[in-house]
Amino acid sequence: GDSVTQMEGPVTLSEEAFLTINCTYTATGYPSLFWYVQYPGEGLQLLLKATKADDKGSNKGFEATYRKETTSFHLEKGSVQVSDSAVYFCALTRNTGGFKTIFGAGTRLFVKA
Amino acid sequence: EAQVTQNPRYLITVTGKKLTVTCSQNMNHEYMSWYRQDPGLGLRQIYYSMNVEVTDKGDVPEGYKVSRKEKRNFPLILESPSPNQTSLYFCASSSSGQSYGYTFGSGTRLTVV
């Protein structure tokens, strides 16, 4: 069945460091891929998405590229801030007659000043 | 403002006492879904609805009921809550189609004692 695997956290970085959070997926067909962010005490928010191979999603300095050959959608940011501290979820959605969304387990990011 | 509204935010109840968590969206979305979030288990889908009067089970439907009588509302009903339903619950909505991401509510933290 479909699945999403994220790197385990927590990830701890200093402010202005480079961030990579790895995400790989298993799915038949051509899913759409998403990153969501969850700040403490809040619901998930859509951060960025990519709907076909080689698409790059970007938002708020975060980027991820849909790599079909490696079935990956790694999240990157060139310079993190303390305010980026949150839990990040990778997800895929695939048309199954209806459509099905699978979330990764989430990766907690701590950014130190 | 486009949003998904869940109520209540926090609820403590006793085993066996029926409860309803309400969810309403103002974006005219066809698709709505309920998830529960538990430490180490990520988000798991409880039920979803493709449109009015169309609902189906997700991955963990046992002990829950839903209804979709109006497009904007998708309440989650626990007929006889048990302690293993203590969790953080999220309602989410989306336009139909796999390329749209979810808009999430702020969550309901339920404790069953």
Side-chain angles (χ1 to χ4, degrees):
Chain A
D2 296 351
S3 66
V4 175
T5 303
Q6 290 180 235
M7 62 187 289
E8 286 193 28
V11 174
T12 302
L13 296 173
S14 297
E15 210 166 21
E16 299 183 4
F18 185 87
L19 168 71
T20 300
I21 300 178
N22 290 336
C23 171
T24 57
Y25 68 91
T26 303
T28 55
Y30 302 93
S32 294
L33 302 175
F34 302 85
W35 278 100
Y36 290 86
V37 58
Q38 184 179 30
Y39 299 103
E42 298 183 12
L44 282 73
Q45 301 174 24
L46 179 63
L47 180 60
L48 55 82
K49 68 178 182 181
T51 58
K52 62 183 186 296
D54 299 325
D55 265 4
K56 177 186 282 189
S58 61
N59 186 26
K60 299 182 181 179
F62 292 90
E63 294 183 338
T65 301
Y66 190 142
R67 302 283 188 203
K68 192 159 179 65
E69 65 276 13
T70 54
T71 62
S72 65
F73 193 54
H74 304 321
L75 182 68
E76 296 181 336
K77 187 175 185 184
S79 176
V80 293
Q81 306 299 312
V82 172
S83 57
D84 293 326
S85 298
V87 180
Y88 293 83
F89 292 89
C90 185
L92 69 83
T93 298
R94 187 169 66 83
N95 192 330
T96 60
F99 60 96
K100 178 75 173 173
T101 297
I102 304 292
F103 288 87
T107 302
R108 185 175 294 278
L109 170 66
F110 291 106
V111 180
K112 303 180 297 185
Chain B
E1 180 189 354
Q3 60 186 359
V4 175
T5 303
Q6 285 179 239
N7 281 297
R9 286 295 306 274
Y10 302 92
L11 178 60
I12 301 173
T13 190
V14 296
T15 299
K17 186 176 180 181
K18 181 179 178 180
L19 67 91
T20 299
V21 183
T22 63
C23 174
S24 180
Q25 51 94 3
N26 63 1
M27 296 162 283
N28 202 36
H29 284 166
E30 296 85 7
Y31 190 90
M32 298 185 75
S33 184
W34 277 102
Y35 287 87
R36 60 178 289 174
Q37 184 179 24
D38 300 291
L41 297 176
L43 281 95
R44 294 180 292 169
Q45 190 177 48
I46 303 170
Y47 269 95
Y48 65 93
S49 170
M50 298 291 294
N51 214 322
V52 176
E53 302 291 4
V54 181
T55 63
D56 207 349
K57 296 176 181 178
D59 299 314
V60 289
E62 294 78 20
Y64 304 94
K65 284 176 55 177
V66 293
S67 67
R68 187 93 180 270
K69 293 181 167 46
E70 305 166 281
K71 198 172 187 179
R72 64 184 291 121
N73 295 323
F74 190 45
L76 180 69
I77 302 158
L78 285 72
E79 294 267 3
S80 183
S82 62
N84 65 11
Q85 293 178 297
T86 292
S87 187
L88 179 59
Y89 291 86
F90 289 103
C91 181
S93 73
S94 174
S95 290
S96 241
Q98 73 170 48
S99 62
Y100 297 95
Y102 279 121
T103 300
F104 279 84
S106 298
T108 296
R109 185 166 292 282
L110 172 66
T111 303
V112 183
V113 298

